Amino acid sequence: MEAIRPLARTLLRDRAYASIRDAIVGGEIEPGAVVRDAELAERLGLSRAPVREAFARLVDEGLLESKPQSYTRVTQVVAADVRDAAAVVGAMHELVTRIAVPRLFAADIETMRAANERFAAAVATGDVDEALRADDQLHDVLVRVSGNRAAAATTARYTPLIRRLERRRFGEGGNCRSAGLHDRLIEACAAGDVDEAVRVTAEIWRGLAELADDD
């Protein structure tokens, strides 16, 4: 497992959380798989305490489920959960887009364009990891420029639930989000057209909710 490897002993709880989360979202630890704190602690080069804390956070966020004294396992990908997450994350992205567009500099627009070029190239070659990474980089420009920490935290919490379904759809031969929608978003941002940027953002996230409906 590429995501499960020894960690430097700094911010152990957060880094354990990020490694295990990424392994779940990336499919390295599959839905339904039982996870054990002792085993993962050994693989990460940690004590069991930070891994247990990571487990608790992942249970709270819906990626793990736990039955006391019995098991902790990866949750299944549930369409209703993905729809709920997409609705929340979409609302946060609409909010940050409305705030950020008037604040964007030319360099921010160029960062978004470059990310979308990488996104389109990755979709064309079937590189799901790079496609989702580039997608995050594009939208993170708006999150960062907005300066809304609550929206950023909410987005970070619920996006992994959506990513699992996106990855599976991509593996079945479907596309990630349309580079054309990204182009429209970028052009609206470049023009300072807040309302159009928000409309396109809403369209992007509706598409993800519809992806769950097809599950």
Side-chain angles (χ1 to χ4, degrees):
M1 296 181 184
E2 294 181 2
I4 304 297
R5 58 186 184 276
L7 300 173
R9 292 190 174 276
T10 57
L11 302 175
L12 297 183
R13 175 186 60 192
D14 292 341
R15 299 190 68 185
Y17 159 80
S19 291
I20 298 167
R21 178 203 61 202
D22 290 350
I24 293 170
V25 172
E28 296 176 40
I29 307 177
E30 297 181 348
V34 173
V35 292
R36 296 177 175 85
D37 56 4
E39 177 184 338
L40 288 180
E42 182 177 358
R43 299 180 74 154
L44 292 166
L46 301 174
S47 69
R48 293 168 69 177
V51 174
R52 287 174 178 167
E53 292 179 40
F55 278 7
R57 184 172 171 185
L58 290 162
V59 168
D60 185 54
E61 294 180 0
L63 291 175
L64 292 178
E65 59 185 357
S66 182
K67 182 177 180 181
Q69 309 303 320
S70 182
Y71 62 77
T72 300
R73 66 188 178 196
V74 178
T75 57
Q76 298 295 328
V77 179
V78 178
D81 293 340
V82 176
R83 282 195 301 272
D84 289 347
V88 171
V89 174
M92 293 300 98
H93 277 288
E94 290 180 47
L95 171 64
V96 300
T97 297
R98 188 171 295 282
I99 298 169
V101 169
R103 303 178 180 178
L104 292 169
F105 290 102
D108 298 316
I109 300 297
E110 288 309 308
T111 298
M112 294 173 73
R113 291 192 198 282
N116 198 35
E117 289 174 4
R118 292 193 299 274
F119 173 85
V123 170
T125 60
D127 186 344
V128 63
D129 289 320
E130 178 59 20
L132 295 178
R133 185 160 46 244
D135 183 82
D136 282 339
Q137 290 168 351
L138 188 158
H139 291 284
D140 283 350
V141 171
L142 297 170
V143 175
R144 172 180 56 79
V145 172
S146 78
N148 190 314
R149 295 176 63 184
T154 302
T155 299
R157 172 172 180 168
Y158 290 106
T159 295
L161 289 172
I162 305 166
R163 285 293 188 237
R164 289 204 295 170
L165 182 58
E166 283 188 283
R167 294 183 67 92
R168 190 169 79 187
R169 286 290 186 233
F170 195 102
E172 293 169 352
N175 287 330
C176 292
R177 302 177 202 170
S178 166
L181 280 175
H182 287 162
D183 281 335
R184 286 175 51 200
L185 174 60
I186 293 165
E187 292 312 310
C189 289
D193 189 338
V194 174
D195 290 339
E196 176 62 11
V198 171
R199 277 194 293 269
V200 177
T201 298
E203 188 173 346
I204 289 169
W205 290 94
R206 275 198 306 273
L208 284 174
E210 290 166 2
L211 193 69
D213 289 335
D214 293 336
D215 197 44

